[in-house]
Amino acid sequence: MPDYSIRKIYPFVKYQKLIIASLIIGFLAAFLAVSLKKMTDHYEEVLFAQSQNNIIYILLFPLFGLSLIYILRQYLFKKKENKGIKEVFESTATGKGLPSYKIPSHFINGLITVSFGGSTGIEVSTVVSSAAIGSLAQEKEKFLKKYKSELICAGITAGITALFCTPFAGLLFAYEVIAKKLSKVFVIANVLAAAIAYAFVLLIGEKPLFTINITQWHLHAAPWLVMLGVLCGLNAVYMTKCVMFFKKHSQKIASHYHRILVGAAIISALIFILPQLYGDGYHAIRESIRTANTAALTLSGTLIFLGILLLKPVITSVTLSAGGDGGVFAPSLFIGAFLGLFTGAALNTWFDAGIIPINFMVMGMAAMLSASIHAPFTALFLICGLVGDYTLFLPVLIVCLISKYTAQAIYPHTVYSLSANKQ
């Protein structure tokens, strides 16, 4: 009988330190993610308002932000340039952990980049800094060293969960994009991290990023869903190609100072032309949501939509190439929202399709993200959590799968997979 009792409790004893570490990582990563989100939202809103009141700020903010990031890197962060999610792939594929300074480095640089107009988002900054929390935990306890990859993923899971108020998106992102394989330890660590992160989000009353009233969807819109999925797939490939093109050619500018000057000038010019491109662009999405179902497509509106779709990948690529912190996560949501809204408005204006534009806006965000990172189920649950509604679960799933396989058929790589291959 005593032997039986010992065998019964042995799994808990064996994984006790892993459980405790996962819970601590989950809380710290969630706290970091929410703090970064709230600080970025606040300062981006304040500085964007200032830039709209005075054109001088449009010229100064990107230059100041990129210069400050460079100065901090030179004198505070060991002269090491942030490489985004590539750092996570390098760490999980090798025995090297993520250095602890990557936590403040990505936190501060992500905040500065977006607040001062850099056209990316804080999602990748959150992913890497949260991953560094997981990496740091395994370095502090000898028993946990063999679970390095699982604990890194636990930090990422908690960070994404807290950012988007949905544990499913956090778990699926860690699995689809980072780990790509399941194990008992992965499940234990990541489920616990997601649970504590989601509990923290509920405790502080964090709301979904966008407030959207979705009531229904019509089956007669099904053919247009296929078209939206294909369009998102094409745009995702265009964005990936843009990022790689500007990254490659920016290296030809030997001087960091000149790279910053050129990058800041391009960012300022594009923001002046289209203010919607400032920062992560969530402010522009929120404005469009309010009028989505009543908007009529005019010539000037069409030009604005086309400008956004063509220039957002460019300004994002320039931001990253000039030293800004971030990735394609937020830009994918931004492009998808406006591509979906444009498609819905165009179909209603020119073909009297009778579809609901706000639905296409939501589906566009999911489809574009799915195609950009080749993770349809992450995109599905993330967007449903993002708007706090699962009414569109089935059509979102359809467009996510179509967009992913369209993009994959044209170009088999994403920015993330290219980063993973170039270690």
Side-chain angles (χ1 to χ4, degrees):
M1 185 70 174
D3 290 340
Y4 175 76
S5 299
I6 291 172
R7 287 197 304 271
K8 193 172 182 179
I9 65 172
Y10 176 71
F12 174 76
V13 174
K14 180 182 177 182
Y15 294 117
Q16 183 179 7
K17 291 181 179 179
L18 175 67
I19 291 170
I20 294 171
S22 300
L23 292 172
I24 294 173
I25 290 168
F27 172 75
L28 292 176
F31 187 81
L32 178 147
V34 173
S35 300
L36 179 56
K37 180 168 72 170
K38 288 187 174 296
M39 290 176 66
T40 305
D41 283 348
H42 173 72
Y43 288 111
E44 182 186 12
E45 181 181 355
V46 171
L47 295 176
F48 175 68
Q50 292 292 340
S51 73
Q52 295 306 289
N53 294 329
N54 192 331
I55 189 175
I56 298 298
Y57 289 133
I58 295 179
L59 300 174
L60 293 180
F61 283 167
L63 179 60
F64 177 80
L66 292 173
S67 299
L68 182 56
I69 289 171
Y70 177 71
I71 292 168
L72 290 173
R73 181 169 74 240
Q74 292 297 108
Y75 297 101
L76 188 61
F77 299 130
K78 304 183 179 182
K79 298 184 179 181
K80 298 290 186 181
E81 187 175 358
N82 286 341
K83 301 176 184 177
I85 207 164
K86 180 180 179 180
E87 295 166 326
V88 177
F89 290 128
E90 288 177 344
S91 182
T92 55
T94 66
K96 293 175 58 179
L98 285 162
S100 57
Y101 76 85
K102 287 296 178 180
I103 300 172
S105 172
H106 280 279
F107 186 100
I108 295 170
N109 289 352
L111 171 64
I112 292 172
T113 298
V114 177
S115 298
F116 286 93
S119 200
T120 60
I122 60 167
E123 290 78 15
V124 170
S125 302
T126 302
V127 164
V128 182
S129 53
S130 298
I133 292 174
S135 179
L136 184 63
Q138 60 87 24
E139 290 176 2
K140 298 300 182 181
E141 176 58 53
K142 185 177 180 181
F143 172 79
L144 297 175
K145 287 187 180 295
K146 58 184 174 182
Y147 301 134
K148 184 191 73 172
S149 295
E150 289 83 357
L151 292 176
I152 286 176
C153 286
I156 293 170
T157 293
I160 295 294
T161 295
L163 274 186
F164 297 104
C165 302
T166 168
F168 298 111
L171 287 164
L172 287 165
F173 180 84
Y175 168 68
E176 285 189 296
V177 178
I178 308 297
K180 299 184 185 296
K181 59 183 179 180
L182 281 178
S183 67
K184 182 190 292 185
V185 173
F186 177 90
V187 172
I188 292 172
N190 284 266
V191 168
L192 288 173
I196 197 70
Y198 191 55
F200 176 71
V201 165
L202 293 177
L203 179 66
I204 64 174
E206 193 70 7
K207 302 297 183 185
L209 189 60
F210 303 121
T211 302
I212 300 178
N213 183 29
I214 299 171
T215 57
Q216 60 182 331
W217 64 278
H218 302 303
L219 191 59
H220 68 74
W224 305 122
L225 300 185
V226 176
M227 184 182 75
L228 179 62
V230 171
L231 289 174
C232 287
L234 293 171
N235 274 270
V237 172
Y238 169 56
M239 183 164 67
T240 299
K241 292 283 192 177
C242 269
V243 171
M244 303 316 297
F245 174 85
F246 280 95
K247 183 177 181 180
K248 177 182 177 181
H249 287 276
S250 68
Q251 300 302 317
K252 297 178 181 178
I253 305 176
S255 168
H256 284 284
Y257 178 70
H258 292 152
R259 199 180 302 171
I260 289 171
L261 284 176
V262 172
I266 295 173
I267 293 168
S268 294
L270 294 181
I271 291 174
F272 177 75
I273 297 169
L274 288 170
Q276 296 93 331
L277 300 178
Y278 189 102
D280 55 28
Y282 291 159
H283 55 93
I285 295 176
R286 292 188 184 100
E287 288 179 9
S288 298
I289 286 171
R290 288 194 287 267
T291 59
N293 285 338
T294 58
L297 196 60
T298 61
L299 177 60
S300 61
T302 299
L303 293 176
I304 290 173
F305 276 119
L306 293 176
I308 287 173
L309 298 178
L310 288 172
L311 296 178
K312 179 65 174 182
V314 173
I315 192 173
T316 295
S317 303
V318 171
T319 300
L320 297 175
S321 299
D325 206 89
V328 300
F329 218 100
S332 296
L333 299 179
F334 178 88
I335 294 169
F338 281 96
L339 178 58
L341 181 56
F342 176 55
T343 302
L347 289 171
N348 283 343
T349 302
W350 299 330
F351 299 98
D352 195 24
I355 60 176
I356 305 172
I358 193 69
N359 289 1
F360 268 57
M361 200 171 179
V362 172
M363 291 185 289
M365 284 192 281
M368 186 67 191
L369 180 61
S370 171
S372 297
I373 65 176
H374 290 185
F377 296 102
T378 296
L380 167 65
F381 284 100
L382 187 146
I383 295 302
C384 288
L386 201 66
V387 301
D389 194 299
Y390 284 79
T391 303
L392 297 177
F393 187 91
L394 182 58
V396 167
L397 175 60
I398 293 170
V399 295
C400 282
L401 291 172
I402 293 171
S403 65
K404 184 241 180 166
Y405 288 111
T406 298
Q408 206 169 41
I410 299 170
Y411 189 64
H413 301 290
T414 68
V415 171
Y416 294 164
S417 65
L418 284 167
S419 296
N421 293 332
K422 296 180 180 180
Q423 292 179 15

